[in-house]
Amino acid sequence: MPRFTEFETYDVRFPTSLDLDGSDAMNADPDYSAAYLILRTDTGDGLEGHGFAFTIGRGNDVQTAAIEALRDHIVGLDVDAVLGDLGGFWKSLVHDSQLRWLGPEKGVMHMAIGAVVNAVWDLAAKRAGVPLWKLLSDLSPEQIVDLVDFRYLTDALTREEALEILYAAVPGRAEREKALRERGYPAYTTSPGWLGYDDAKLVRLCHEAVADGFTQIKLKVGADLDDDIRRLRLAREAVGPDIRIAIDANQRWDVADAIDWIKALTPYDVWWVEEPTSPDDILGHAAIARAIAPVRVATGEHVQNRVVFKQLLQAESLSFVQIDSARVAGVNENIAILLLAAKFGVPVCPHAGGVGLCELVQHLSMFDLVAVSGSTESRVIEYVDHLHEHFLDPVVIKDGHYVAPTRPGFSAELDAETLCDFRYPNGKIWTDLEKESAK
Amino acid sequence: MPRFTEFETYDVRFPTSLDLDGSDAMNADPDYSAAYLILRTDTGDGLEGHGFAFTIGRGNDVQTAAIEALRDHIVGLDVDAVLGDLGGFWKSLVHDSQLRWLGPEKGVMHMAIGAVVNAVWDLAAKRAGVPLWKLLSDLSPEQIVDLVDFRYLTDALTREEALEILYAAVPGRAEREKALRERGYPAYTTSPGWLGYDDAKLVRLCHEAVADGFTQIKLKVGADLDDDIRRLRLAREAVGPDIRIAIDANQRWDVADAIDWIKALTPYDVWWVEEPTSPDDILGHAAIARAIAPVRVATGEHVQNRVVFKQLLQAESLSFVQIDSARVAGVNENIAILLLAAKFGVPVCPHAGGVGLCELVQHLSMFDLVAVSGSTESRVIEYVDHLHEHFLDPVVIKDGHYVAPTRPGFSAELDAETLCDFRYPNGKIWTDLEKESAK
């Protein structure tokens, strides 16, 4: 009987703070990092499962330790049994009564579960010989709902309602898959808008974004209102009236501040405002959403789990659901969130960027298109042009669209050299930086 | 200039699962544990700061690693500067932009901050030569609000409103302190009601609780409805009609299940139902609270931070706020929560038990009585009679009341021998258990 035999973790960090890539009102100097996992089996096919949690530097060691704490939850298990019941496997991790105390279902421990679950899905797709989006899209509605834990969701979404949504999407699957393979999935770009970039760089990158075929860009805001107004005006002049401009405050405001600040920016035709306040503040988001209409609220990259997404939808706190591939407990929980969004008729526009978040989350949106919501209406996946070169199957953007991956797996695999060079603190990149700073 | 010099962490675990102490519907076999911290300085007074996060076994190593990740946030700092601005120190931990990504403000990383913050408060009280409750109770209203981070709270509680609450309590401080020293603070006991205990043990412990002067007990429920009805009936017969019986479902139910189950138990005169569903489900708690009235909802031991408590109060999701001394980011954040509860006029009835949670949280309720809410009306602190013998300043219960501590500090200090013997996995208790199980 083939078993999971190896569980290898890596603390990988990229010194992105040197260039202020990724800088925003709350995250001044992130070092984009991955707490990274490789799973191996003794099946003899040489296939591995890769998964990771994304962090922004300090604490990536804690995140790696949390993944390590799950070693005994998979090493030694029968590979076919795990892959044959990925809903049950998910529960065996999330419902571990002792580990549950550390959340429950939130923060470091929950993200660690996400890394393990995603690594297993990477392996599952490689064994099936298809990209993850295709593996998921070919499951039956029953197989899909079996992946979902409906605990704490049934007041908003039952298994039966989820089946109805999925069955309604079955007839159009083939046609939408064909269209997806031809046109890809719409993207928007955040690359112009980092707070640490000067005006000239902002304007240059805005022009490039339009030339590259993007129809939506995003600007970071929230540090200084006058700066925001100037940057938004420059961006609007650069992209013209037909390109959507979203803004992102990265949780900078209290409720009243958010409302005032957003109203001051409304004249510049804002498509959505993202993370206006604490990701935990369901009622606060709802109050903001009511006050700033017709500007709409988007949130989700820091939303801890499906229970909070459920409430954001119930309270009409948001108009766009921003799933993240590595914040909640992996593919299974994101399927639950896609189903919740479909139930409430709210479009999913994933958060991406970071390390490998674009690579991962495209699969979830493509599955959503083929088998769940059946639509790309008002839906875009975030795109940030950092660090893709480190992945074996990097995202491909063409005319402002994500091209559907064809390589088997979850596109999660970092280059072996990168894993070695960027390992913290002893990889070459970091020891070189230390030598330099010692000069 | 005196500095923080040493930062020592311990993974301490007690094999409580052997006796099913602490067993409930979600936590079948907890091994009560502490991720423990000792802070030392070079002031030469020999005083140490002790603090910890409480977990229930697996993952205590991850929790300890998270505390370790904060070493550089305090070692080397000027002791007087830190103790002179504990509000600023709190923010330096919680607002660390890189570590914040791991929550934000929730789970393993947030509890780690709680351990560090509480250790510093333990030291502050020892240096002042008073128990923590007294140190806090003698602060001016301005000094108290300076400890609080109002970020994300101002739609429910502003600094000015907090000052008003605190000023209103100033005139009665001395009188209430005198009464507290004489009578103590009301307690209730959970010791009879663990789910793993048989009926005879339940009844015997119910009788003991009444004989010991408790006026409220609590029973774990949620595994099997017939069992719950039988146990509740037995308990009611044992304690008579005048003793309050609370029940605790430990997050077992979805919203509709909770309502049905609680309604079936209502004939047995239930004082409150605790944690009926996910601690993240603010709207779910509110729906349950509306449906089960006049039975009231209590929750909080797993509520991640002040932002969620704010919303539970705004949405009228609960009638009792159950703060926990080691779940949120320490004393400062609990002061924010006490102020929120006072603003909304909801009594605080702390969660305790575990390892040292009774020892810690009594200080917060006593401070609440003297300087914040000014009342013990409908307020009780949970009491569980486990593991106190391991503490240097264990709680003292007399006639169903917590006796006000007099020893300087936060009562947080574990016996040195315990720290050695129960250290996991190499302490004597654990190596002995391993030898035994190998036989």
Side-chain angles (χ1 to χ4, degrees), chain A residues 152 154 251 254 281 310, chain B residues 152 154 251 254 280-281 310:
Chain A
Y152 303 142
T154 56
Q251 314 168 22
D254 281 24
D281 201 344
K310 176 190 74 169
Chain B
Y152 303 141
T154 55
Q251 313 168 22
D254 281 25
D280 306 338
D281 201 344
K310 176 189 75 169

Side-chain angles (χ1 to χ4, degrees), chain B residues 353-364:
Chain B
V355 179
L357 300 181
C358 300
E359 276 68 21
L360 261 55
V361 88
Q362 61 179 337
H363 291 271
L364 301 174

Side-chain angles (χ1 to χ4, degrees), chain B residues 13 66 79 132 161 176 186 188 194 220 222 228 300 306 311 317:
Chain B
R13 307 191 193 190
V79 175
L132 181 76
E161 290 170 319
R176 287 191 300 274
Y188 76 92
W194 299 108
K220 299 291 182 175
D228 288 349
R306 69 203 181 287
Q311 295 172 83
S317 305

Side-chain angles (χ1 to χ4, degrees), chain B residues 332-412:
Chain B
N332 300 55
E333 187 160 11
N334 267 317
I335 293 175
I337 298 163
L338 293 176
L339 286 164
L340 281 164
K343 164 82 187 286
F344 285 86
V346 172
V348 173
C349 298
H351 169 251
V355 179
L357 300 181
C358 300
E359 276 68 21
L360 261 55
V361 88
Q362 61 179 337
H363 291 271
L364 301 174
S365 276
M366 292 173 188
F367 159 66
D368 179 63
L369 167 59
V370 175
V372 187
S373 76
S375 171
T376 55
E377 175 73 31
S378 292
R379 289 163 171 85
V380 274
I381 307 172
E382 183 166 23
Y383 173 67
V384 187
D385 62 356
H386 298 150
L387 305 175
H388 302 294
E389 66 276 19
H390 297 286
F391 283 84
L392 292 194
D393 184 24
V395 293
V396 178
I397 301 288
K398 209 170 135 182
D399 295 333
H401 286 66
Y402 278 81
V403 175
T406 55
R407 185 172 170 141
F410 199 177
S411 309

Side-chain angles (χ1 to χ4, degrees), chain B residues 29-341:
Chain B
D29 54 353
D31 283 328
Y32 281 181
S33 304
Y36 195 86
L37 168 67
I38 302 177
L39 288 174
R40 295 197 185 86
T41 72
D42 60 6
T43 48
D45 57 12
L47 298 176
E48 301 171 339
H50 291 235
F52 53 86
F54 168 62
T55 82
I56 62 171
R58 278 186 294 284
N60 201 51
D61 47 343
V62 179
Q63 188 58 60
T64 307
I67 296 173
E68 275 291 343
L70 297 166
R71 174 185 293 272
D72 293 344
H73 285 68
I74 182 155
V75 170
L77 295 192
D78 175 354
V79 175
D80 296 320
V82 169
L83 297 187
D85 180 17
L86 281 167
F89 176 66
W90 190 89
K91 287 183 187 169
S92 74
L93 297 171
V94 175
H95 296 186
D96 177 304
S97 69
Q98 294 190 357
L99 291 177
R100 192 177 183 279
W101 192 270
L102 301 177
E105 303 192 31
K106 59 182 64 76
V108 167
M109 208 62 236
H110 205 53
M111 293 195 283
I113 292 173
V116 175
V117 167
N118 283 348
V120 173
W121 276 106
D122 181 50
L123 180 68
K126 285 172 179 165
R127 283 169 57 110
V130 293
L132 181 76
W133 69 265
K134 173 68 174 158
L135 176 67
L136 295 175
S137 299
D138 286 345
L139 296 177
S140 71
E142 280 79 8
Q143 287 175 312
I144 295 170
V145 295
D146 283 347
L147 298 169
V148 171
D149 184 2
F150 287 92
R151 172 171 273 187
Y152 303 141
L153 296 188
T154 55
D155 55 325
L157 177 75
T158 63
R159 183 184 164 93
E160 292 66 37
E161 290 170 319
L163 278 172
E164 261 177 56
I165 291 165
L166 293 165
Y167 268 111
V170 168
R173 281 186 181 189
E175 191 186 334
R176 287 191 300 274
E177 182 182 329
K178 185 161 171 287
L180 170 66
R181 288 185 189 273
E182 285 167 10
R183 293 198 297 267
Y185 196 104
Y188 76 92
T189 176
T190 305
S191 294
W194 299 108
L195 220 47
Y197 290 176
D198 64 29
D199 289 353
K201 189 166 182 178
L202 165 68
V203 170
R204 175 171 59 77
L205 292 172
C206 281
H207 285 299
E208 283 180 24
V210 178
D212 289 344
F214 291 102
T215 55
Q216 180 178 332
I217 64 166
K218 191 168 76 185
L219 263 56
K220 299 291 182 175
V221 299
D224 179 276
L225 181 58
D226 291 335
D227 284 348
D228 288 349
I229 290 174
R230 190 187 73 256
R231 288 159 46 81
L232 202 47
R233 191 173 43 72
L234 287 170
R236 178 54 74 203
E237 285 168 11
V239 301
D242 298 334
I243 301 293
R244 292 170 177 169
I245 303 181
I247 59 173
D248 184 355
N250 290 88
Q251 313 168 22
R252 190 69 168 73
W253 302 310
D254 281 25
V255 172
D257 300 335
I259 293 168
D260 291 346
W261 199 299
I262 298 162
K263 284 190 168 170
L265 299 179
T266 303
Y268 302 92
D269 190 11
V270 172
W271 177 245
W272 77 49
V273 58
E274 185 170 327
E275 291 204 303
T277 189
S278 165
D280 306 338
D281 201 344
I282 295 148
L283 302 178
H285 274 86
I288 294 167
R290 284 191 299 271
I292 66 168
V295 177
R296 283 165 291 189
V297 170
T299 201
E301 70 179 85
H302 269 98
V303 170
Q304 64 206 33
N305 60 36
R306 69 203 181 287
V307 181
V308 178
F309 273 113
K310 176 189 75 169
Q311 295 172 83
L312 288 164
L313 290 161
Q314 288 173 317
E316 302 182 6
S317 305
L318 44 62
S319 299
F320 301 96
V321 166
Q322 299 183 299
I323 59 167
D324 180 284
S325 52
R327 169 70 55 187
V328 301
V331 170
N332 300 55
E333 187 160 11
N334 267 317
I335 293 175
I337 298 163
L338 293 176
L339 286 164
L340 281 164

Side-chain angles (χ1 to χ4, degrees), chain A residues 253-263 277 284 287-288 291, chain B residues 154-155:
Chain A
W253 302 310
D254 281 24
V255 172
D257 300 336
I259 293 168
D260 291 347
W261 200 299
I262 297 161
K263 284 190 168 169
T277 189
I288 293 166
Chain B
T154 55
D155 55 325

